[in-house]
Amino acid sequence: MSKKSQNVASVELEFKPARKFSKKARISSLAQYKQLHRESIKKPATFWAREAKELLWQKKWSKVLDWKAPNAKWFVGGKINVCENCVDSHLINGRANKAAIIWEGEPGESRTLTYRQLHREVCQFANVLLAKGIKSKDRVLIYMPMVPEAAIAMLACARIGAVHSVVFGGFSAESIADRLEDCKAKAVITSDGGYRRGSVVPLKANVDEALKKYKGVETVIVYQRIGEKVTMKNGRDVYWHDEVAKVSDQHIAKGFDSEHPLFILYTSGSTGKPKGILHTSGGYLMGTYATTKYIFDMQDDDVYWCTADVGWITGHSYIVYGPLANGATQVMYEGAPNFPDFGRFWDIVEKYKVSIFYTAPTAIRAFIKAGDQFPEARDLSSLRLLGTVGEPINPEAWMWYHKKIGGGRCPIVDTWWQTETGAIMISPLPGCTPTKPGTATLPFFGVDAAILDETGQECRAGEGGKLVIRQPWPSMLRSIYGDKKRYRDTYWSDYKGVYTAGDGARKDKKGNFWITGRLDDVLNVSGHRLGTAEVESALVSHDSVAEAAVVGRPHEIKGQGVVAFVSLKGKFTGSDDLNKELRNHVGKVIGAIAKPDEIHFTTALPKTRSGKIMRRLLKELVATGEVTGNVTTLEDVEVIKSLQESLKK
Ligand code: PRX
């Protein structure tokens, strides 16, 4: 964070919601929030039973929560169809002809699907999946561009009880193969390609490559987005449009157990292997529904736009499940924010009269850099509420967002949450919470957040510690797919019965949470999680690399940049060409987001006498160029000098 932004923070500007906004909001006073929050923590069953009545249950639950740490069952005995809640329910509540998804392709075409049309398409595609032999609990991998069919595919899986695992379109063939292997997927839904910054991303070709490694996939369904010729394997690969033409557009949604698995989403952890975060049905839907309703204060005449990709949890919870369960009208955009230039997002806001806009701090920083002329040339007066997610927002970015995009009138909800939490956990409620640039403010209903020190004591105001959640919440992850032990060890072993988020935070005197970032070896690059170990293992899989160590460095736009230190095998020497080759290699193994910003060749890495890489030293070196801490455990002190030299180059 720059000096300037620290100054802004230290002034501690506070913004209260405008009376006009509060009057219409669901929660309009802090007293009302506090009373409901207290109830939700002291009597979660009462609170959530009331909220859950707004969902459509095929069979009512008999008990709200069954909790034997770390295993939670929510709405025990209830039967629900998540897809029915997101789609069918709106056909009987007057929203049948309301726009559900207003889609804009990167080249500029536009398409609107009403809830009735969405229903028809989802039913049809559910029938395709059934015709292909996909059954309840089968895993289906989805690797799609940002087109409505991505949401349709997810909803169709949910409708028939299949478990989807969406892989972000920027991930590589190897990443797809690893995920297929881990969840043993039976089918893949993909597309011939998608548009990104004017080029075509070859999605089907990546799937073909992955399927050379993993042989368990019986069916590949290919949606034609581009119309390019792709290789189709006889007996395995079929086109979406051919298959839907063969089936009925009628399908009756059956209820599944509230704890029926809904999806697996892979995310980075502190080891080289991404974790398959498992979410289930009733609780997840409850969490995403309630947070969308209260935090985005979703009203029937809103036009909502979340700029995330469906490949991330934000896309799952706040493009697909939360907004659709609320019967919202939303914009979905296929492409890049800067195509053809940095005015694209603001063109979309103007064109569709977007009223709620949810994006990431990294995008805001890129817009600041591009210049004010882009938003200034557009009419953004339809906006009434702004949100951010993915990383701490620096006060400069917050203030710019507030002034230049929100015209000084829109509350900003800085939402803290994770793939694991399923739904937003800490955030202002826009009609009542005073906001300050840089804090995600207060816990949502049912979220018993706290900051603990190493001994498990709650930290005092202003004191930094570990962010934890002390009670189960409906949308919490249920496990790491196929690895209950890793689930327990990663999240529930620091303090008994308490969830550790992996983030550092402090609380101010008013109870606002200030999130300071990850405490583990996970980087946050452009709001996306990336394990240092993952990048390291990608680097050492290259022939030339003997050892690698990866750390983060503050980055003006991305939040954190990836810095790699690499020592080469005997016969190799560092060069610009090898540098480039290694970056591309990481792109090939993981995906473009993981490519190191810098690679430094070094003869050795700083290690303890027992051979452990001293990452702390590397972090300090890249941040300050110096090492100040204790180096007595270092095996070879000379290494530091050589690293300093390589950083200067
Ligand atoms: O470090 C926190 C950061 O993003 C991590 C979760 O990443 P992921 O599971 O990919 O989900 C991102 C979208 C929910 C957290 O552990 N993070 C997310 N939102 C915020 C944040 N850090 C600070 N402020 C936020 N609003």
Side-chain angles (χ1 to χ4, degrees):
M1 197 185 289
S2 73
K3 258 214 172 102
K4 205 166 143 204
S5 62
Q6 276 171 357
N7 287 341
V8 178
S10 60
V11 175
E12 295 231 329
L13 296 166
E14 191 177 81
F15 296 86
K16 294 221 165 80
R19 177 127 1 115
K20 199 170 142 217
F21 190 103
S22 296
K23 257 170 73 183
K24 285 196 192 147
R26 286 193 172 78
I27 307 291
S28 54
S29 76
L30 215 46
Q32 194 188 356
Y33 157 75
K34 282 186 182 154
Q35 185 253 322
L36 281 170
H37 187 260
R38 203 173 311 120
E39 181 199 40
S40 72
I41 299 301
K42 294 217 161 110
K43 294 182 186 160
T46 310
F47 179 89
W48 288 115
R50 193 171 58 237
E51 287 293 319
K53 282 200 188 117
E54 293 181 24
L55 302 178
L56 187 63
W57 294 87
Q58 294 205 3
K59 181 172 167 241
K60 194 175 176 266
W61 67 92
S62 52
K63 194 175 168 198
V64 171
L65 171 66
D66 186 353
W67 174 233
K68 284 188 203 75
N71 300 312
K73 286 188 185 143
W74 282 89
F75 308 111
V76 185
K79 286 208 185 302
I80 193 163
N81 188 295
V82 171
C83 174
E84 184 181 31
N85 273 270
C86 294
V87 185
D88 310 43
S89 69
H90 306 304
L91 304 189
I92 48 171
N93 66 12
R95 295 191 180 108
N97 295 322
K98 183 180 171 179
I101 299 176
I102 305 171
W103 175 78
E104 177 154 311
E106 196 185 71
E109 66 272 58
S110 184
R111 194 176 138 203
T112 298
L113 284 171
T114 62
Y115 275 97
R116 195 192 306 282
Q117 289 164 329
L118 182 65
H119 177 253
R120 198 164 51 225
E121 303 236 359
V122 168
C123 287
Q124 226 168 11
F125 197 65
N127 284 330
V128 169
L129 294 177
L130 291 171
K132 288 287 162 196
I134 309 294
K135 292 193 284 298
S136 163
K137 295 195 182 169
D138 280 346
R139 273 82 55 212
V140 175
L141 187 135
I142 300 178
Y143 186 64
M144 292 280 274
M146 282 291 287
V147 290
E149 281 67 19
I152 291 167
M154 291 162 77
L155 290 163
C157 286
R159 191 170 188 92
I160 64 161
V163 182
H164 60 69
S165 184
V166 185
V167 176
F168 170 58
F171 277 123
S172 66
E174 287 197 34
S175 294
I176 303 171
D178 290 347
R179 285 154 175 76
L180 284 169
E181 178 69 52
D182 189 78
C183 74
K184 305 271 179 295
K186 197 165 161 188
V188 175
I189 304 167
T190 188
S191 163
D192 53 352
Y195 288 106
R196 186 83 192 169
R197 216 161 279 123
S199 329
V200 172
V201 185
L203 298 170
K204 173 64 164 66
N206 288 346
V207 169
D208 291 342
E209 198 60 35
L211 293 182
K212 284 185 196 154
K213 275 184 132 185
Y214 176 75
K215 307 281 183 199
V217 167
E218 293 165 12
T219 309
V220 179
I221 304 175
V222 184
Y223 174 72
Q224 241 179 357
R225 158 69 184 122
I226 309 288
E228 282 204 346
K229 208 171 150 37
V230 292
T231 318
M232 298 290 279
K233 187 172 167 189
N234 236 337
R236 186 195 70 186
D237 302 357
V238 291
Y239 277 113
W240 179 300
H241 59 267
D242 288 338
E243 297 309 302
V244 292
K246 295 180 196 160
V247 294
S248 147
D249 59 6
Q250 307 286 312
H251 179 270
I252 306 289
K254 150 177 166 233
F256 293 96
D257 190 274
S258 177
E259 283 301 326
H260 188 89
L262 180 64
F263 66 85
I264 300 164
L265 183 59
Y266 287 86
T267 189
S268 298
S270 48
T271 72
K273 190 175 177 287
K275 306 176 278 199
I277 303 299
L278 178 71
H279 282 286
T280 58
S281 303
Y284 173 80
L285 186 69
M286 182 75 269
T288 51
Y289 171 83
T291 45
T292 305
K293 181 178 78 165
Y294 288 115
I295 296 171
F296 296 117
D297 191 39
M298 195 69 79
Q299 308 283 351
D300 241 338
D301 55 355
D302 272 315
V303 178
Y304 163 87
W305 182 22
C306 166
T307 69
D309 190 284
V310 287
W312 308 109
I313 191 68
T314 308
H316 284 59
S317 300
Y318 298 107
I319 292 179
V320 181
Y321 295 108
L324 294 178
N326 276 273
T329 290
Q330 70 173 314
V331 170
M332 183 181 196
Y333 169 58
E334 176 185 38
N338 58 351
F339 189 83
D341 63 31
F342 274 98
R344 187 61 183 270
F345 272 17
W346 319 128
D347 280 337
I348 294 176
V349 169
E350 182 180 271
K351 183 167 166 191
Y352 302 107
K353 300 202 169 25
V354 172
S355 57
I356 305 175
F357 180 70
Y358 190 34
T359 196
T362 184
I364 298 169
R365 289 191 296 267
F367 287 124
I368 297 177
K369 197 155 183 230
D372 295 354
Q373 68 276 20
F374 293 105
E376 276 169 3
R378 273 86 182 176
D379 177 6
L380 305 181
S381 61
S382 56
L383 290 170
R384 69 176 194 98
L385 174 60
L386 303 175
T388 70
V389 58
E391 52 179 313
I393 179 162
N394 49 309
E396 272 164 315
W398 198 102
M399 286 306 298
W400 185 88
Y401 198 33
H402 171 73
K403 285 189 192 146
K404 298 288 168 186
I405 306 305
R409 71 182 179 279
C410 305
I412 298 180
V413 289
D414 172 356
T415 62
W416 176 85
W417 59 295
Q418 309 175 295
T419 305
E420 291 87 341
T421 68
I424 298 169
M425 302 294 276
I426 302 179
S427 166
L429 292 183
C432 72
T433 315
T435 54
K436 282 181 195 167
T439 169
T441 73
L442 304 171
F444 184 66
F445 302 132
V447 177
D448 185 15
I451 296 165
L452 303 186
D453 67 15
E454 289 302 329
T455 68
Q457 292 295 312
E458 213 170 332
C459 293
R460 286 192 307 265
E463 205 182 320
K466 287 187 186 178
L467 177 59
V468 300
I469 316 291
R470 295 180 293 201
Q471 286 186 28
W473 63 101
S475 64
M476 63 189 268
L477 77 166
R478 298 301 195 262
S479 188
I480 291 174
Y481 187 70
D483 200 344
K484 227 25 258 199
K485 183 177 181 304
R486 194 175 173 196
Y487 166 68
R488 190 183 287 270
D489 292 350
T490 310
Y491 304 109
W492 303 94
S493 62
D494 282 9
Y495 313 101
K496 200 165 178 274
V498 169
Y499 173 84
T500 309
D503 278 327
R506 66 188 161 78
K507 218 158 88 162
D508 65 20
K509 285 197 181 115
K510 290 188 173 168
N512 291 312
F513 284 78
W514 298 75
I515 316 292
T516 46
R518 300 288 308 185
L519 296 170
D520 51 10
D521 288 321
V522 171
L523 305 180
N524 192 326
V525 180
S526 303
H528 303 311
R529 261 158 81 165
L530 191 62
T532 52
E534 257 177 282
V535 185
E536 286 163 5
S537 89
L539 283 166
V540 296
S541 72
H542 190 269
D543 271 353
S544 67
V545 177
E547 268 191 314
V550 168
V551 292
R553 180 209 284 278
H555 187 284
E556 198 192 348
I557 306 282
K558 298 200 271 187
Q560 271 189 308
V562 182
V563 181
F565 294 90
V566 166
S567 72
L568 297 170
K569 288 181 187 156
K571 58 180 179 186
F572 294 92
T573 41
S575 66
D576 287 349
D577 282 347
L578 185 56
N579 195 312
K580 204 165 149 199
E581 192 178 319
L582 289 179
R583 291 189 74 241
N584 287 337
H585 178 72
V586 175
K588 193 166 167 285
V589 176
I590 305 175
I593 53 162
K595 282 185 182 177
D597 297 86
E598 298 167 32
I599 294 180
H600 300 284
F601 295 110
T602 168
T603 44
L605 291 167
K607 287 191 188 163
T608 60
R609 276 171 239 275
S610 59
K612 236 180 134 217
I613 295 172
M614 293 179 76
R615 223 176 270 283
R616 170 179 65 79
L617 299 187
L618 293 172
K619 277 189 203 163
E620 204 183 340
L621 263 178
V622 297
T624 66
E626 304 288 332
V627 170
T628 53
N630 185 350
V631 290
T632 49
T633 50
L634 194 62
E635 189 201 31
D636 176 6
V637 187
E638 286 304 303
V639 171
I640 299 290
K641 276 201 196 112
S642 108
L643 288 170
Q644 279 170 324
E645 286 309 308
S646 79
L647 276 167
K648 280 183 195 143
K649 277 181 203 155

